Amino acid sequence: MNLPPIDSKFFLDFLTNLLNTPSPTGFTDQAISFTESTLAAFPSLSCARTRKGALAVIWPGQQANAPRALTAHIDTLGAMVKEIKPNGRLKLTKIGGYAWNTVEGEGCIVFAHSGQPVRGSILLTKASGHVYGSQVNELKREDDTIEVRLDAQTSDAEQTRALGIEVGDFVAFDPRVEVTNGFIRSRHLDDKACAACLVAAIKSMQEAGLQPVQETHLLFSNYEEVGHGAASGIPPVVTELVAVDMAAVGEGQSSDEYHATLCVKDSGGPYHHGLSQRLRQIAETFQIAYKIDIYPYYGSDGEAFWRSGGDVAVALIGPGVDASHNYERTHLDALLATTQWIMAYLLT
Ligand SMILES: [Zn+2]
């Protein structure tokens, strides 16, 4: 059996739009709505929001005696306003796990709880080389040495509060999406790239008139970056779960930006051997460009479901992403390979 073709233009358009929709964990409604409205083109799917705010999709299959699930997360790293400083700038608290230096100098949006969103930049408290000399290099990047400079006239806390900004407001980093020679460079390819793989797989199969062999539950989760995204939202009837999330590229890793990867072990231990073996076999059969890898500092929504008591086989696949939780990059080859793998899994 041949896999249906993938519409690369649709893929990149959807991915670019999703990347440009801010969705730090806890502030994901817009990204969930965008995904939901895209899937509305396929009336055989039934879409519903979970009470937690994720998007749960049911795709009827040829059979329903062993339903399956796939998940990808649309929440991203980000921050919240921790304090409004006496100088009118903002101290932040991180959402998700990353190092401050990976966002230093980045543009950002502060979603003021009342009033309009306010633009700004993430900067070191001692940012100017002409004023602070070697301290710009030497100062340790931590919560106390990073602040938001707002693009608004404010020099004290009162003026900042007058903009509608308060402690607890969400802050999103500019994704800076760029597509060049098949490379996609952006923040938050983790895990919007994989959400796009799921949506593209649905579109390809629907347009080819193909149905999954088993009833399939898709969860676009919204709390993965803080560890409990898919802890709920996958019904107990499901027998196996394939988490789709980025593969970690770097020294000593076998993953790269041109292949999909099967992750057999990460910080949470080994994935389900039987399901992993089946996915490897499927990749061989369908000649999908894949690698096998282990990620040293990594957890997934598959493990979140396991930890919450999910009694299913869990495996993890995804495209190689360079510089993860930093200014990330992947290639269309890895995205198409991942999408093919998803379709091959659904069809066998
Ligand atoms: Zn992820």
Side-chain angles (χ1 to χ4, degrees), residues 73 75 189-191 224-225 244-246 298-300 325:
H73 65 94
D75 62 306
L189 288 170
D190 174 12
D191 188 27
E224 193 276 348
E225 291 293 359
V244 190
D245 208 335
M246 54 128 243
Y298 192 107
S300 78
H325 283 200

Side-chain angles (χ1 to χ4, degrees), residues 123-258:
L123 289 171
L124 195 64
T125 47
K126 300 190 174 189
S128 168
H130 299 98
V131 179
Y132 301 108
S134 63
Q135 288 187 82
V136 180
N137 187 34
E138 287 155 8
L139 204 60
K140 191 162 192 287
R141 275 58 177 162
E142 47 199 5
D143 291 6
D144 287 336
T145 59
I146 294 287
E147 64 186 10
V148 176
R149 176 188 65 193
L150 297 165
D151 296 333
Q153 290 200 14
T154 169
S155 54
D156 62 36
E158 201 184 327
Q159 287 174 309
T160 296
R161 284 202 161 87
L163 298 167
I165 294 174
E166 192 44 88
V167 171
D169 289 351
F170 284 92
V171 178
F173 310 135
D174 288 358
R176 275 191 290 135
V177 189
E178 194 170 320
V179 181
T180 310
N181 297 329
F183 288 100
I184 300 98
R185 168 151 67 83
S186 178
R187 288 187 188 280
H188 316 319
L189 288 170
D190 174 12
D191 188 27
K192 291 177 171 178
C194 298
C197 291
L198 289 179
V199 171
I202 291 168
K203 179 177 187 298
S204 291
M205 284 176 55
Q206 292 261 337
E207 289 178 353
L210 296 167
Q211 207 182 6
V213 292
Q214 285 288 345
E215 175 180 290
T216 301
H217 296 253
L218 300 137
L219 180 71
F220 294 90
S221 79
N222 63 334
Y223 274 91
E224 193 276 348
E225 291 293 359
V226 294
H228 58 77
S232 60
I234 294 170
V237 293
V238 163
T239 60
E240 54 192 33
L241 167 64
V242 176
V244 190
D245 208 335
M246 54 128 243
V249 172
E251 273 176 45
Q253 297 299 107
S254 55
S255 303
D256 66 32
E257 295 165 274
Y258 313 104

Side-chain angles (χ1 to χ4, degrees), residues 265-317:
K265 177 182 182 288
D266 62 20
S267 306
Y271 284 90
H272 189 273
H273 184 57
L275 182 55
S276 295
Q277 285 293 87
R278 225 173 79 222
L279 285 162
R280 197 189 288 223
Q281 197 55 54
I282 288 167
E284 293 288 344
T285 305
F286 286 87
Q287 298 183 309
I288 289 158
Y290 80 102
K291 302 272 189 182
I292 308 287
D293 213 348
I294 289 172
Y295 311 149
Y297 305 102
Y298 192 107
S300 78
D301 254 348
E303 284 152 353
F305 187 54
W306 259 349
R307 288 209 166 85
S308 74
D311 180 21
V312 297
V314 175
L316 172 64
I317 62 170

